[in-house]
Amino acid sequence: MWSFPKIIAHRGGGTLAPENTLAALRCGFLHGFRAVEFDVMALTDGALVLMHDTELGRTVAGSGSIADQTAATLSAADAGAWFSPEYAGEPVPNFTQAAQFCLQHEIKMNVEIKPLPGLESETGRAVAAACVDLPSDAVLLSSFSVDALRAAQASAPGVARSLLVERIPSDWQQQLEQLGAVALHAQASALTAAQAAAVKRAGFGLMCYTVNDPEQARALFAWGVDAICTDRLELIGPDFR
């Protein structure tokens, strides 16, 4: 059963703010969104930060692997200047900061576990452990990494999980059942109506990413999709129908 809102703001603020920052979460909130998706990565020093890329250079200036960074160096980095001068100096937040903001404003969190290569299980365990004391209806973990989800399941079985896929594999139901997952998160452009119907018949939630066209959104909802994740907060608002 899907318990999240139908429209989820991708990486906090979609295209309106620098991704995976507190500024992005504020932006999503101010646009009326009460469900957001963001990426959480475990650094080699154990810190959990909001980060999508495994390399510096796109959202945080510099070069090299995120694996070589510490919580201290990343917290001092600029995660906003790449987006616009308005956001220059916006820091890389840690998971606790993001979770506190979302809880304070009653925003549901789709936390994507985004592991560094080789740290899949460690990241899954750490992220799940960080969520275990949060309200059970406030957070949904997701990941492309089955190893990360298995570790999350073992570490905190009570924290809801969903499997992220690009194309739905033939053994999708077996994977979801083995992971104790409540939902499947699928790439919208690769989903078919028959697949959507099968997932819903099996009793799982179904979310699609990343949906930026209102007509595509309406078609997906007509197929029975429970929710979509969008970058275009100004086109597909929280009350979209």
Side-chain angles (χ1 to χ4, degrees), residues 7-140:
I7 314 295
I8 300 169
H10 190 218
R11 300 183 191 170
T15 60
L16 301 181
E19 66 183 59
N20 288 322
T21 62
L22 294 181
L25 296 180
R26 286 192 294 270
C27 178
F29 175 73
L30 291 173
H31 279 78
F33 284 79
R34 296 301 179 264
V36 296
E37 181 270 356
F38 54 81
D39 304 291
V40 176
M41 185 176 293
L43 304 179
T44 51
D45 66 2
L48 297 178
V49 297
L50 271 61
M51 182 68 59
H52 178 274
D53 297 3
T54 60
E55 299 284 326
L56 295 170
R58 186 176 67 88
T59 62
V60 177
S63 61
S65 174
I66 297 295
D68 297 327
Q69 304 299 309
T70 65
T73 59
L74 277 183
S75 66
D78 188 331
W82 69 275
F83 186 86
S84 73
E86 174 188 356
Y87 291 104
E90 183 69 27
V92 176
N94 61 44
F95 174 67
T96 299
Q97 292 170 320
Q100 287 176 342
F101 179 90
C102 289
L103 291 176
Q104 179 184 356
H105 294 91
E106 299 183 345
I107 301 169
K108 293 182 183 291
M109 295 170 272
N110 174 190
V111 178
E112 181 177 345
I113 304 170
K114 185 71 71 170
L116 285 164
L119 293 180
E120 289 80 7
S121 295
E122 293 87 343
T123 305
R125 275 194 298 272
V127 174
C131 294
V132 74
D133 292 327
L134 301 180
S136 60
D137 64 346
V139 62
L140 173 64

Side-chain angles (χ1 to χ4, degrees), residues 157-168:
V159 179
R161 295 167 301 282
S162 57
L163 176 64
L164 264 165
V165 297
E166 292 183 356
R167 294 185 177 276
I168 296 181

Side-chain angles (χ1 to χ4, degrees), residues 165 167-175 184 195 198:
V165 297
R167 294 185 177 276
I168 296 181
S170 59
D171 64 342
W172 61 268
Q173 186 167 353
Q174 180 183 10
Q175 288 194 50
L184 185 68
Q195 289 171 328

